[in-house]
Amino acid sequence: MKSIEVDEELYRYIASQTQHIGESASDILRRLLMMPDEVQQQEVVMPVRPKGIVVSKDAGNVATIDRVKEMRSLLISDEFAVQEKAIGRFMMVLSSLYRIDPEGFTEAAAIKGRTRVYFAESEETLLASGKTTKPKAIPETPFWVITNTNTDRKRQMVEQLMGKMNFGADIIDKVCGEI
């Protein structure tokens, strides 16, 4: 994969042309420039897969999800860009992480703070862990998360979660920087 630099105006235009969550900048440019879609020929369609997850074949013909590509696609999506508050971006990141790897998310969600439980499968569990937790349901997941934390704590929660889900440091830094 090659990298190119574009100015802010062009970047915003490319991002504004996103048609669905998970569409990469390469896919957008290919569509806009009406180039043959070689990537589509390599993708495997699974019988049931969450919207926006890119599934492709690796060298051993095993279906894999490009987790980093999914997170990068989220960060350049219009839906993410219109989130004016950190809480909205935080919730979208958590929802995407679950969608990419539900099992890994479930295991990683066991992280806790010094005195608080961060994630739980019920609002009651979070309410019992502190008086001012402000639990919110994470969209499209069975999980709840505390939201009465500052932005830095939300970033730390995502950093710990992604680390336990075995994401690389580069994408963790990028995602946390966007919250």
Side-chain angles (χ1 to χ4, degrees):
M1 175 97 39
K2 302 287 183 187
S3 298
I4 61 171
E5 290 187 35
V6 295
D7 61 45
E8 186 68 25
E9 182 181 2
L10 182 56
Y11 173 83
R12 288 178 192 257
Y13 175 76
I14 293 168
S16 74
Q17 298 302 309
T18 304
Q19 289 184 344
H20 57 83
I21 295 175
E23 187 174 31
S24 71
S26 292
D27 294 339
I28 295 166
L29 289 171
R30 185 174 287 110
R31 186 182 73 251
L32 293 174
L33 297 171
M34 299 192 309
M35 295 175 63
D37 194 359
E38 297 168 10
V39 172
Q40 289 294 336
Q41 296 170 3
Q42 295 175 358
E43 290 183 354
V44 174
V45 178
M46 295 172 64
V48 177
R49 70 177 174 149
K51 181 181 173 188
I53 300 295
V54 176
V55 180
S56 58
K57 289 184 180 178
D58 66 12
N61 262 349
V62 176
T64 59
I65 296 173
D66 189 337
R67 297 158 21 117
V68 172
K69 184 176 180 181
E70 285 301 313
M71 292 311 295
R72 289 185 188 277
S73 294
L74 169 69
L75 299 179
I76 65 168
S77 72
D78 287 342
E79 289 177 275
F80 194 81
V82 300
Q83 298 297 319
E84 294 180 7
K85 295 186 177 185
I87 184 66
R89 294 185 297 273
F90 175 65
M91 296 300 275
M92 286 187 75
V93 165
L94 294 177
S95 185
S96 293
L97 289 171
Y98 181 84
R99 191 171 55 248
I100 290 167
D101 183 3
E103 188 176 310
F105 185 98
T106 300
E107 291 175 20
I111 61 173
K112 295 178 169 95
R114 206 181 47 203
T115 59
R116 288 181 168 177
V117 174
Y118 292 152
F119 300 96
E121 292 186 10
S122 73
E123 180 180 22
E124 293 75 26
T125 301
L126 295 178
L127 288 171
S129 77
K131 295 179 183 176
T132 58
T133 57
K134 285 195 178 178
K136 284 193 180 182
I138 302 170
E140 301 173 28
T141 79
F143 285 92
W144 288 71
V145 64
I146 64 169
T147 61
N148 191 21
T149 57
N150 62 32
T151 303
D152 284 338
R153 176 66 65 201
K154 288 176 177 70
R155 288 180 181 133
Q156 289 173 358
M157 290 165 63
V158 168
E159 180 180 16
Q160 289 177 353
L161 185 66
M162 291 180 74
K164 288 187 178 274
M165 291 176 72
N166 297 316
F167 278 88
D170 289 345
I171 191 64
I172 292 172
D173 291 345
K174 181 75 173 158
V175 169
C176 291
E178 295 294 327
I179 292 179

PDB file of all heavy atoms in Angstrom, residues 55-91:
ATOM      1  N   VAL A  55     -13.959  -7.634   4.378  1.00  0.00           N
ATOM      2  CA  VAL A  55     -13.463  -8.989   4.527  1.00  0.00           C
ATOM      3  C   VAL A  55     -12.725  -9.345   3.242  1.00  0.00           C
ATOM      4  O   VAL A  55     -13.231  -9.159   2.153  1.00  0.00           O
ATOM      5  CB  VAL A  55     -14.624  -9.992   4.752  1.00  0.00           C
ATOM      6  CG1 VAL A  55     -14.092 -11.405   4.894  1.00  0.00           C
ATOM      7  CG2 VAL A  55     -15.420  -9.596   5.972  1.00  0.00           C
ATOM      8  N   SER A  56     -11.492  -9.835   3.365  1.00  0.00           N
ATOM      9  CA  SER A  56     -10.717 -10.203   2.191  1.00  0.00           C
ATOM     10  C   SER A  56      -9.993 -11.514   2.452  1.00  0.00           C
ATOM     11  O   SER A  56      -9.943 -12.001   3.576  1.00  0.00           O
ATOM     12  CB  SER A  56      -9.718  -9.095   1.844  1.00  0.00           C
ATOM     13  OG  SER A  56      -8.862  -8.862   2.939  1.00  0.00           O
ATOM     14  N   LYS A  57      -9.407 -12.073   1.385  1.00  0.00           N
ATOM     15  CA  LYS A  57      -8.660 -13.322   1.525  1.00  0.00           C
ATOM     16  C   LYS A  57      -7.202 -12.995   1.782  1.00  0.00           C
ATOM     17  O   LYS A  57      -6.629 -12.120   1.160  1.00  0.00           O
ATOM     18  CB  LYS A  57      -8.760 -14.144   0.246  1.00  0.00           C
ATOM     19  CG  LYS A  57     -10.117 -14.747   0.017  1.00  0.00           C
ATOM     20  CD  LYS A  57     -10.088 -15.610  -1.223  1.00  0.00           C
ATOM     21  CE  LYS A  57     -11.442 -16.232  -1.470  1.00  0.00           C
ATOM     22  NZ  LYS A  57     -11.454 -17.041  -2.680  1.00  0.00           N
ATOM     23  N   ASP A  58      -6.597 -13.730   2.730  1.00  0.00           N
ATOM     24  CA  ASP A  58      -5.156 -13.594   2.921  1.00  0.00           C
ATOM     25  C   ASP A  58      -4.457 -14.623   2.027  1.00  0.00           C
ATOM     26  O   ASP A  58      -5.107 -15.302   1.235  1.00  0.00           O
ATOM     27  CB  ASP A  58      -4.766 -13.723   4.398  1.00  0.00           C
ATOM     28  CG  ASP A  58      -5.021 -15.104   4.974  1.00  0.00           C
ATOM     29  OD1 ASP A  58      -5.289 -16.043   4.189  1.00  0.00           O
ATOM     30  OD2 ASP A  58      -4.940 -15.247   6.203  1.00  0.00           O
ATOM     31  N   ALA A  59      -3.161 -14.747   2.139  1.00  0.00           N
ATOM     32  CA  ALA A  59      -2.392 -15.633   1.266  1.00  0.00           C
ATOM     33  C   ALA A  59      -2.857 -17.084   1.368  1.00  0.00           C
ATOM     34  O   ALA A  59      -2.771 -17.831   0.399  1.00  0.00           O
ATOM     35  CB  ALA A  59      -0.908 -15.523   1.587  1.00  0.00           C
ATOM     36  N   GLY A  60      -3.374 -17.480   2.514  1.00  0.00           N
ATOM     37  CA  GLY A  60      -3.837 -18.851   2.704  1.00  0.00           C
ATOM     38  C   GLY A  60      -5.308 -19.029   2.393  1.00  0.00           C
ATOM     39  O   GLY A  60      -5.911 -20.007   2.782  1.00  0.00           O
ATOM     40  N   ASN A  61      -5.916 -18.059   1.714  1.00  0.00           N
ATOM     41  CA  ASN A  61      -7.331 -18.081   1.359  1.00  0.00           C
ATOM     42  C   ASN A  61      -8.247 -18.116   2.577  1.00  0.00           C
ATOM     43  O   ASN A  61      -9.337 -18.670   2.534  1.00  0.00           O
ATOM     44  CB  ASN A  61      -7.662 -19.254   0.448  1.00  0.00           C
ATOM     45  CG  ASN A  61      -7.703 -18.828  -1.002  1.00  0.00           C
ATOM     46  OD1 ASN A  61      -7.683 -17.634  -1.310  1.00  0.00           O
ATOM     47  ND2 ASN A  61      -7.754 -19.794  -1.887  1.00  0.00           N
ATOM     48  N   VAL A  62      -7.799 -17.544   3.669  1.00  0.00           N
ATOM     49  CA  VAL A  62      -8.602 -17.465   4.886  1.00  0.00           C
ATOM     50  C   VAL A  62      -9.222 -16.071   4.937  1.00  0.00           C
ATOM     51  O   VAL A  62      -8.551 -15.073   4.699  1.00  0.00           O
ATOM     52  CB  VAL A  62      -7.726 -17.704   6.137  1.00  0.00           C
ATOM     53  CG1 VAL A  62      -8.535 -17.532   7.403  1.00  0.00           C
ATOM     54  CG2 VAL A  62      -7.095 -19.085   6.082  1.00  0.00           C
ATOM     55  N   ALA A  63     -10.508 -16.008   5.225  1.00  0.00           N
ATOM     56  CA  ALA A  63     -11.182 -14.710   5.300  1.00  0.00           C
ATOM     57  C   ALA A  63     -10.686 -13.958   6.534  1.00  0.00           C
ATOM     58  O   ALA A  63     -10.657 -14.504   7.630  1.00  0.00           O
ATOM     59  CB  ALA A  63     -12.692 -14.899   5.376  1.00  0.00           C
ATOM     60  N   THR A  64     -10.260 -12.731   6.328  1.00  0.00           N
ATOM     61  CA  THR A  64      -9.775 -11.910   7.437  1.00  0.00           C
ATOM     62  C   THR A  64     -10.404 -10.528   7.351  1.00  0.00           C
ATOM     63  O   THR A  64     -10.801 -10.077   6.287  1.00  0.00           O
ATOM     64  CB  THR A  64      -8.243 -11.755   7.392  1.00  0.00           C
ATOM     65  OG1 THR A  64      -7.879 -11.155   6.141  1.00  0.00           O
ATOM     66  CG2 THR A  64      -7.550 -13.080   7.552  1.00  0.00           C
ATOM     67  N   ILE A  65     -10.466  -9.870   8.472  1.00  0.00           N
ATOM     68  CA  ILE A  65     -10.964  -8.500   8.539  1.00  0.00           C
ATOM     69  C   ILE A  65      -9.768  -7.589   8.701  1.00  0.00           C
ATOM     70  O   ILE A  65      -8.933  -7.819   9.569  1.00  0.00           O
ATOM     71  CB  ILE A  65     -11.936  -8.324   9.727  1.00  0.00           C
ATOM     72  CG1 ILE A  65     -13.176  -9.181   9.523  1.00  0.00           C
ATOM     73  CG2 ILE A  65     -12.311  -6.859   9.909  1.00  0.00           C
ATOM     74  CD1 ILE A  65     -14.101  -9.210  10.715  1.00  0.00           C
ATOM     75  N   ASP A  66      -9.678  -6.579   7.866  1.00  0.00           N
ATOM     76  CA  ASP A  66      -8.597  -5.608   7.984  1.00  0.00           C
ATOM     77  C   ASP A  66      -9.000  -4.618   9.069  1.00  0.00           C
ATOM     78  O   ASP A  66      -9.655  -3.616   8.812  1.00  0.00           O
ATOM     79  CB  ASP A  66      -8.346  -4.919   6.644  1.00  0.00           C
ATOM     80  CG  ASP A  66      -7.098  -4.061   6.679  1.00  0.00           C
ATOM     81  OD1 ASP A  66      -6.679  -3.644   7.782  1.00  0.00           O
ATOM     82  OD2 ASP A  66      -6.546  -3.787   5.603  1.00  0.00           O
ATOM     83  N   ARG A  67      -8.622  -4.945  10.292  1.00  0.00           N
ATOM     84  CA  ARG A  67      -9.042  -4.164  11.459  1.00  0.00           C
ATOM     85  C   ARG A  67      -8.534  -2.728  11.403  1.00  0.00           C
ATOM     86  O   ARG A  67      -9.246  -1.803  11.763  1.00  0.00           O
ATOM     87  CB  ARG A  67      -8.540  -4.856  12.731  1.00  0.00           C
ATOM     88  CG  ARG A  67      -9.144  -6.210  12.904  1.00  0.00           C
ATOM     89  CD  ARG A  67      -8.367  -7.170  13.794  1.00  0.00           C
ATOM     90  NE  ARG A  67      -7.440  -6.637  14.728  1.00  0.00           N
ATOM     91  CZ  ARG A  67      -7.541  -6.758  16.058  1.00  0.00           C
ATOM     92  NH1 ARG A  67      -8.542  -7.406  16.581  1.00  0.00           N
ATOM     93  NH2 ARG A  67      -6.628  -6.253  16.844  1.00  0.00           N
ATOM     94  N   VAL A  68      -7.294  -2.544  10.978  1.00  0.00           N
ATOM     95  CA  VAL A  68      -6.713  -1.201  10.909  1.00  0.00           C
ATOM     96  C   VAL A  68      -7.445  -0.380   9.858  1.00  0.00           C
ATOM     97  O   VAL A  68      -7.787   0.784  10.080  1.00  0.00           O
ATOM     98  CB  VAL A  68      -5.196  -1.264  10.620  1.00  0.00           C
ATOM     99  CG1 VAL A  68      -4.628   0.110  10.364  1.00  0.00           C
ATOM    100  CG2 VAL A  68      -4.481  -1.944  11.782  1.00  0.00           C
ATOM    101  N   LYS A  69      -7.719  -0.998   8.718  1.00  0.00           N
ATOM    102  CA  LYS A  69      -8.448  -0.294   7.651  1.00  0.00           C
ATOM    103  C   LYS A  69      -9.829   0.124   8.144  1.00  0.00           C
ATOM    104  O   LYS A  69     -10.302   1.222   7.841  1.00  0.00           O
ATOM    105  CB  LYS A  69      -8.559  -1.193   6.421  1.00  0.00           C
ATOM    106  CG  LYS A  69      -9.211  -0.523   5.233  1.00  0.00           C
ATOM    107  CD  LYS A  69      -9.191  -1.444   4.024  1.00  0.00           C
ATOM    108  CE  LYS A  69      -9.833  -0.782   2.833  1.00  0.00           C
ATOM    109  NZ  LYS A  69      -9.844  -1.669   1.661  1.00  0.00           N
ATOM    110  N   GLU A  70     -10.481  -0.742   8.897  1.00  0.00           N
ATOM    111  CA  GLU A  70     -11.802  -0.418   9.431  1.00  0.00           C
ATOM    112  C   GLU A  70     -11.748   0.797  10.358  1.00  0.00           C
ATOM    113  O   GLU A  70     -12.592   1.679  10.293  1.00  0.00           O
ATOM    114  CB  GLU A  70     -12.392  -1.615  10.184  1.00  0.00           C
ATOM    115  CG  GLU A  70     -12.899  -2.693   9.276  1.00  0.00           C
ATOM    116  CD  GLU A  70     -13.972  -2.208   8.336  1.00  0.00           C
ATOM    117  OE1 GLU A  70     -14.920  -1.526   8.776  1.00  0.00           O
ATOM    118  OE2 GLU A  70     -13.856  -2.492   7.137  1.00  0.00           O
ATOM    119  N   MET A  71     -10.747   0.820  11.219  1.00  0.00           N
ATOM    120  CA  MET A  71     -10.643   1.949  12.147  1.00  0.00           C
ATOM    121  C   MET A  71     -10.284   3.236  11.404  1.00  0.00           C
ATOM    122  O   MET A  71     -10.817   4.306  11.708  1.00  0.00           O
ATOM    123  CB  MET A  71      -9.625   1.653  13.250  1.00  0.00           C
ATOM    124  CG  MET A  71     -10.065   0.553  14.204  1.00  0.00           C
ATOM    125  SD  MET A  71     -11.746   0.735  14.874  1.00  0.00           S
ATOM    126  CE  MET A  71     -11.579   2.218  15.855  1.00  0.00           C
ATOM    127  N   ARG A  72      -9.400   3.148  10.421  1.00  0.00           N
ATOM    128  CA  ARG A  72      -9.056   4.336   9.622  1.00  0.00           C
ATOM    129  C   ARG A  72     -10.274   4.834   8.860  1.00  0.00           C
ATOM    130  O   ARG A  72     -10.496   6.036   8.745  1.00  0.00           O
ATOM    131  CB  ARG A  72      -7.903   4.037   8.674  1.00  0.00           C
ATOM    132  CG  ARG A  72      -6.577   3.871   9.374  1.00  0.00           C
ATOM    133  CD  ARG A  72      -5.440   3.699   8.380  1.00  0.00           C
ATOM    134  NE  ARG A  72      -4.200   3.354   9.018  1.00  0.00           N
ATOM    135  CZ  ARG A  72      -3.360   4.235   9.565  1.00  0.00           C
ATOM    136  NH1 ARG A  72      -3.649   5.494   9.545  1.00  0.00           N
ATOM    137  NH2 ARG A  72      -2.246   3.828  10.126  1.00  0.00           N
ATOM    138  N   SER A  73     -11.071   3.913   8.333  1.00  0.00           N
ATOM    139  CA  SER A  73     -12.284   4.294   7.608  1.00  0.00           C
ATOM    140  C   SER A  73     -13.263   5.018   8.525  1.00  0.00           C
ATOM    141  O   SER A  73     -13.907   5.980   8.117  1.00  0.00           O
ATOM    142  CB  SER A  73     -12.953   3.062   6.998  1.00  0.00           C
ATOM    143  OG  SER A  73     -12.133   2.504   6.007  1.00  0.00           O
ATOM    144  N   LEU A  74     -13.372   4.544   9.744  1.00  0.00           N
ATOM    145  CA  LEU A  74     -14.231   5.224  10.718  1.00  0.00           C
ATOM    146  C   LEU A  74     -13.764   6.660  10.912  1.00  0.00           C
ATOM    147  O   LEU A  74     -14.563   7.597  10.890  1.00  0.00           O
ATOM    148  CB  LEU A  74     -14.225   4.496  12.062  1.00  0.00           C
ATOM    149  CG  LEU A  74     -14.885   5.263  13.217  1.00  0.00           C
ATOM    150  CD1 LEU A  74     -16.387   5.355  13.016  1.00  0.00           C
ATOM    151  CD2 LEU A  74     -14.545   4.629  14.542  1.00  0.00           C
ATOM    152  N   LEU A  75     -12.467   6.841  11.091  1.00  0.00           N
ATOM    153  CA  LEU A  75     -11.918   8.166  11.384  1.00  0.00           C
ATOM    154  C   LEU A  75     -12.130   9.165  10.253  1.00  0.00           C
ATOM    155  O   LEU A  75     -12.195  10.371  10.499  1.00  0.00           O
ATOM    156  CB  LEU A  75     -10.433   8.067  11.733  1.00  0.00           C
ATOM    157  CG  LEU A  75     -10.086   7.224  12.958  1.00  0.00           C
ATOM    158  CD1 LEU A  75      -8.584   7.201  13.181  1.00  0.00           C
ATOM    159  CD2 LEU A  75     -10.819   7.694  14.202  1.00  0.00           C
ATOM    160  N   ILE A  76     -12.232   8.690   9.006  1.00  0.00           N
ATOM    161  CA  ILE A  76     -12.442   9.622   7.888  1.00  0.00           C
ATOM    162  C   ILE A  76     -13.899   9.688   7.445  1.00  0.00           C
ATOM    163  O   ILE A  76     -14.226  10.398   6.507  1.00  0.00           O
ATOM    164  CB  ILE A  76     -11.545   9.281   6.669  1.00  0.00           C
ATOM    165  CG1 ILE A  76     -11.897   7.931   6.071  1.00  0.00           C
ATOM    166  CG2 ILE A  76     -10.078   9.368   7.038  1.00  0.00           C
ATOM    167  CD1 ILE A  76     -11.257   7.670   4.719  1.00  0.00           C
ATOM    168  N   SER A  77     -14.775   8.963   8.131  1.00  0.00           N
ATOM    169  CA  SER A  77     -16.183   8.943   7.737  1.00  0.00           C
ATOM    170  C   SER A  77     -16.887  10.253   8.084  1.00  0.00           C
ATOM    171  O   SER A  77     -16.505  10.968   9.005  1.00  0.00           O
ATOM    172  CB  SER A  77     -16.911   7.780   8.416  1.00  0.00           C
ATOM    173  OG  SER A  77     -17.081   8.032   9.799  1.00  0.00           O
ATOM    174  N   ASP A  78     -17.920  10.560   7.324  1.00  0.00           N
ATOM    175  CA  ASP A  78     -18.734  11.746   7.582  1.00  0.00           C
ATOM    176  C   ASP A  78     -19.403  11.659   8.946  1.00  0.00           C
ATOM    177  O   ASP A  78     -19.488  12.649   9.668  1.00  0.00           O
ATOM    178  CB  ASP A  78     -19.812  11.905   6.509  1.00  0.00           C
ATOM    179  CG  ASP A  78     -19.255  12.357   5.176  1.00  0.00           C
ATOM    180  OD1 ASP A  78     -18.113  12.869   5.155  1.00  0.00           O
ATOM    181  OD2 ASP A  78     -19.945  12.198   4.159  1.00  0.00           O
ATOM    182  N   GLU A  79     -19.880  10.465   9.293  1.00  0.00           N
ATOM    183  CA  GLU A  79     -20.555  10.286  10.578  1.00  0.00           C
ATOM    184  C   GLU A  79     -19.644  10.662  11.744  1.00  0.00           C
ATOM    185  O   GLU A  79     -20.077  11.266  12.710  1.00  0.00           O
ATOM    186  CB  GLU A  79     -21.038   8.853  10.745  1.00  0.00           C
ATOM    187  CG  GLU A  79     -22.207   8.491   9.854  1.00  0.00           C
ATOM    188  CD  GLU A  79     -22.579   7.037  10.025  1.00  0.00           C
ATOM    189  OE1 GLU A  79     -21.952   6.196   9.357  1.00  0.00           O
ATOM    190  OE2 GLU A  79     -23.483   6.754  10.828  1.00  0.00           O
ATOM    191  N   PHE A  80     -18.394  10.266  11.633  1.00  0.00           N
ATOM    192  CA  PHE A  80     -17.429  10.578  12.682  1.00  0.00           C
ATOM    193  C   PHE A  80     -17.103  12.070  12.672  1.00  0.00           C
ATOM    194  O   PHE A  80     -17.009  12.708  13.716  1.00  0.00           O
ATOM    195  CB  PHE A  80     -16.159   9.743  12.486  1.00  0.00           C
ATOM    196  CG  PHE A  80     -15.239   9.739  13.680  1.00  0.00           C
ATOM    197  CD1 PHE A  80     -15.472   8.910  14.753  1.00  0.00           C
ATOM    198  CD2 PHE A  80     -14.125  10.559  13.707  1.00  0.00           C
ATOM    199  CE1 PHE A  80     -14.623   8.893  15.853  1.00  0.00           C
ATOM    200  CE2 PHE A  80     -13.265  10.555  14.801  1.00  0.00           C
ATOM    201  CZ  PHE A  80     -13.517   9.722  15.865  1.00  0.00           C
ATOM    202  N   ALA A  81     -16.941  12.621  11.492  1.00  0.00           N
ATOM    203  CA  ALA A  81     -16.553  14.036  11.351  1.00  0.00           C
ATOM    204  C   ALA A  81     -17.589  14.990  11.928  1.00  0.00           C
ATOM    205  O   ALA A  81     -17.237  16.061  12.422  1.00  0.00           O
ATOM    206  CB  ALA A  81     -16.291  14.366   9.882  1.00  0.00           C
ATOM    207  N   VAL A  82     -18.864  14.616  11.880  1.00  0.00           N
ATOM    208  CA  VAL A  82     -19.905  15.531  12.374  1.00  0.00           C
ATOM    209  C   VAL A  82     -20.072  15.476  13.891  1.00  0.00           C
ATOM    210  O   VAL A  82     -20.809  16.287  14.448  1.00  0.00           O
ATOM    211  CB  VAL A  82     -21.276  15.293  11.693  1.00  0.00           C
ATOM    212  CG1 VAL A  82     -21.182  15.505  10.200  1.00  0.00           C
ATOM    213  CG2 VAL A  82     -21.835  13.917  12.020  1.00  0.00           C
ATOM    214  N   GLN A  83     -19.384  14.554  14.551  1.00  0.00           N
ATOM    215  CA  GLN A  83     -19.468  14.469  16.010  1.00  0.00           C
ATOM    216  C   GLN A  83     -18.729  15.655  16.619  1.00  0.00           C
ATOM    217  O   GLN A  83     -17.525  15.756  16.498  1.00  0.00           O
ATOM    218  CB  GLN A  83     -18.872  13.158  16.523  1.00  0.00           C
ATOM    219  CG  GLN A  83     -19.570  11.925  16.042  1.00  0.00           C
ATOM    220  CD  GLN A  83     -21.008  11.844  16.529  1.00  0.00           C
ATOM    221  OE1 GLN A  83     -21.324  12.167  17.673  1.00  0.00           O
ATOM    222  NE2 GLN A  83     -21.888  11.433  15.645  1.00  0.00           N
ATOM    223  N   GLU A  84     -19.462  16.537  17.251  1.00  0.00           N
ATOM    224  CA  GLU A  84     -18.852  17.737  17.816  1.00  0.00           C
ATOM    225  C   GLU A  84     -18.259  17.503  19.198  1.00  0.00           C
ATOM    226  O   GLU A  84     -17.398  18.255  19.636  1.00  0.00           O
ATOM    227  CB  GLU A  84     -19.882  18.866  17.879  1.00  0.00           C
ATOM    228  CG  GLU A  84     -20.328  19.335  16.506  1.00  0.00           C
ATOM    229  CD  GLU A  84     -21.344  20.456  16.565  1.00  0.00           C
ATOM    230  OE1 GLU A  84     -21.622  20.968  17.672  1.00  0.00           O
ATOM    231  OE2 GLU A  84     -21.855  20.804  15.498  1.00  0.00           O
ATOM    232  N   LYS A  85     -18.715  16.474  19.883  1.00  0.00           N
ATOM    233  CA  LYS A  85     -18.252  16.222  21.246  1.00  0.00           C
ATOM    234  C   LYS A  85     -17.491  14.907  21.329  1.00  0.00           C
ATOM    235  O   LYS A  85     -17.748  13.964  20.579  1.00  0.00           O
ATOM    236  CB  LYS A  85     -19.440  16.187  22.201  1.00  0.00           C
ATOM    237  CG  LYS A  85     -20.151  17.522  22.299  1.00  0.00           C
ATOM    238  CD  LYS A  85     -21.226  17.504  23.342  1.00  0.00           C
ATOM    239  CE  LYS A  85     -21.856  18.882  23.440  1.00  0.00           C
ATOM    240  NZ  LYS A  85     -22.817  18.967  24.510  1.00  0.00           N
ATOM    241  N   ALA A  86     -16.565  14.859  22.277  1.00  0.00           N
ATOM    242  CA  ALA A  86     -15.746  13.669  22.474  1.00  0.00           C
ATOM    243  C   ALA A  86     -16.602  12.446  22.779  1.00  0.00           C
ATOM    244  O   ALA A  86     -16.281  11.339  22.335  1.00  0.00           O
ATOM    245  CB  ALA A  86     -14.731  13.901  23.597  1.00  0.00           C
ATOM    246  N   ILE A  87     -17.704  12.618  23.491  1.00  0.00           N
ATOM    247  CA  ILE A  87     -18.543  11.473  23.853  1.00  0.00           C
ATOM    248  C   ILE A  87     -19.092  10.785  22.611  1.00  0.00           C
ATOM    249  O   ILE A  87     -19.149   9.557  22.539  1.00  0.00           O
ATOM    250  CB  ILE A  87     -19.677  11.859  24.844  1.00  0.00           C
ATOM    251  CG1 ILE A  87     -20.468  10.627  25.290  1.00  0.00           C
ATOM    252  CG2 ILE A  87     -20.609  12.880  24.246  1.00  0.00           C
ATOM    253  CD1 ILE A  87     -19.681   9.650  26.098  1.00  0.00           C
ATOM    254  N   GLY A  88     -19.482  11.544  21.607  1.00  0.00           N
ATOM    255  CA  GLY A  88     -19.988  10.957  20.362  1.00  0.00           C
ATOM    256  C   GLY A  88     -18.921  10.165  19.637  1.00  0.00           C
ATOM    257  O   GLY A  88     -19.162   9.046  19.163  1.00  0.00           O
ATOM    258  N   ARG A  89     -17.718  10.725  19.566  1.00  0.00           N
ATOM    259  CA  ARG A  89     -16.604  10.029  18.903  1.00  0.00           C
ATOM    260  C   ARG A  89     -16.220   8.776  19.701  1.00  0.00           C
ATOM    261  O   ARG A  89     -15.961   7.715  19.130  1.00  0.00           O
ATOM    262  CB  ARG A  89     -15.421  10.973  18.736  1.00  0.00           C
ATOM    263  CG  ARG A  89     -15.717  12.125  17.761  1.00  0.00           C
ATOM    264  CD  ARG A  89     -14.515  13.003  17.503  1.00  0.00           C
ATOM    265  NE  ARG A  89     -14.019  13.697  18.679  1.00  0.00           N
ATOM    266  CZ  ARG A  89     -14.448  14.869  19.115  1.00  0.00           C
ATOM    267  NH1 ARG A  89     -15.406  15.511  18.450  1.00  0.00           N
ATOM    268  NH2 ARG A  89     -13.927  15.442  20.183  1.00  0.00           N
ATOM    269  N   PHE A  90     -16.198   8.902  21.015  1.00  0.00           N
ATOM    270  CA  PHE A  90     -15.884   7.792  21.917  1.00  0.00           C
ATOM    271  C   PHE A  90     -16.856   6.631  21.692  1.00  0.00           C
ATOM    272  O   PHE A  90     -16.437   5.480  21.516  1.00  0.00           O
ATOM    273  CB  PHE A  90     -15.966   8.317  23.359  1.00  0.00           C
ATOM    274  CG  PHE A  90     -15.782   7.307  24.451  1.00  0.00           C
ATOM    275  CD1 PHE A  90     -14.573   6.648  24.627  1.00  0.00           C
ATOM    276  CD2 PHE A  90     -16.806   7.061  25.359  1.00  0.00           C
ATOM    277  CE1 PHE A  90     -14.390   5.738  25.668  1.00  0.00           C
ATOM    278  CE2 PHE A  90     -16.641   6.167  26.401  1.00  0.00           C
ATOM    279  CZ  PHE A  90     -15.431   5.502  26.551  1.00  0.00           C
ATOM    280  N   MET A  91     -18.133   6.928  21.649  1.00  0.00           N
ATOM    281  CA  MET A  91     -19.149   5.886  21.479  1.00  0.00           C
ATOM    282  C   MET A  91     -19.034   5.233  20.098  1.00  0.00           C
ATOM    283  O   MET A  91     -19.195   4.012  19.971  1.00  0.00           O
ATOM    284  CB  MET A  91     -20.553   6.447  21.702  1.00  0.00           C
ATOM    285  CG  MET A  91     -20.788   6.948  23.128  1.00  0.00           C
ATOM    286  SD  MET A  91     -20.584   5.699  24.403  1.00  0.00           S
ATOM    287  CE  MET A  91     -22.204   4.955  24.379  1.00  0.00           C
TER     288      MET A  91
END
